[in-house]
Amino acid sequence: MEENPNDARYSLTDSAKMFYVRENNPTSLVPVVLMLTHPVLMAPWHHLHECVLQDGNAFEKAHGKDLWAYEKDDPAVNDVFNNSMSTLTVLGMGQILSYYDSFKEVNTLVDVGRGKGMTLVHIVKAYAISSSQP
């Protein structure tokens, strides 16, 4: 059978699969790519010049309210953002915890941030700390 040059096939390399295949992969960058390309989260970039010249918040200029208020009103955007932040936490916390060992002296740690609490999860797993989420 003769190969047709117009019938080219492409696939991800093994190293690309490590970052861009989502199934059972905690280091997948798919959530980050989804956040960076989401129309709501890209729109502020179109107002960056205004913020540089006039000051202000690019997200507010694009949507009339800050990111946190927007996410409260739009659970889908909230999920995209939080999934991305969780992925970045998974990718970074191993390195942070390998260099920073002061959590070993902590008995109780409370997560007062937003999102899914992935930073707290990594610290608790590394140091077996009692945790609490308000």
Side-chain angles (χ1 to χ4, degrees), residues 21-114:
V21 174
R22 192 179 215 174
E23 189 175 324
N24 298 322
N25 182 2
T27 61
S28 171
L29 292 175
V30 169
V32 177
V33 171
L34 291 174
M35 181 190 76
L36 293 174
T37 59
H38 194 286
V40 168
L41 299 168
M42 284 185 67
W45 289 102
H46 300 284
H47 296 273
L48 183 60
H49 66 284
E50 296 169 42
C51 293
V52 170
L53 296 174
Q54 305 164 1
D55 201 16
N57 180 310
F59 196 93
E60 288 178 9
K61 289 183 183 294
H63 301 293
K65 53 184 149 184
D66 68 28
L67 174 64
W68 313 119
Y70 194 99
E71 285 185 358
K72 183 180 177 189
D73 295 337
D74 190 333
V77 171
N78 186 48
D79 285 345
V80 168
F81 184 82
N82 283 326
N83 289 338
S84 176
M85 294 299 105
S86 293
T87 295
L88 294 173
T89 299
V90 167
L91 292 172
M93 281 307 293
Q95 286 295 312
I96 291 168
L97 292 172
S98 71
Y99 289 101
Y100 183 79
D101 65 352
S102 292
F103 288 112
K104 67 184 175 193
E105 298 173 15
V106 173
N107 295 319
T108 303
L109 187 62
V110 179
D111 182 355
V112 293
R114 295 181 45 97

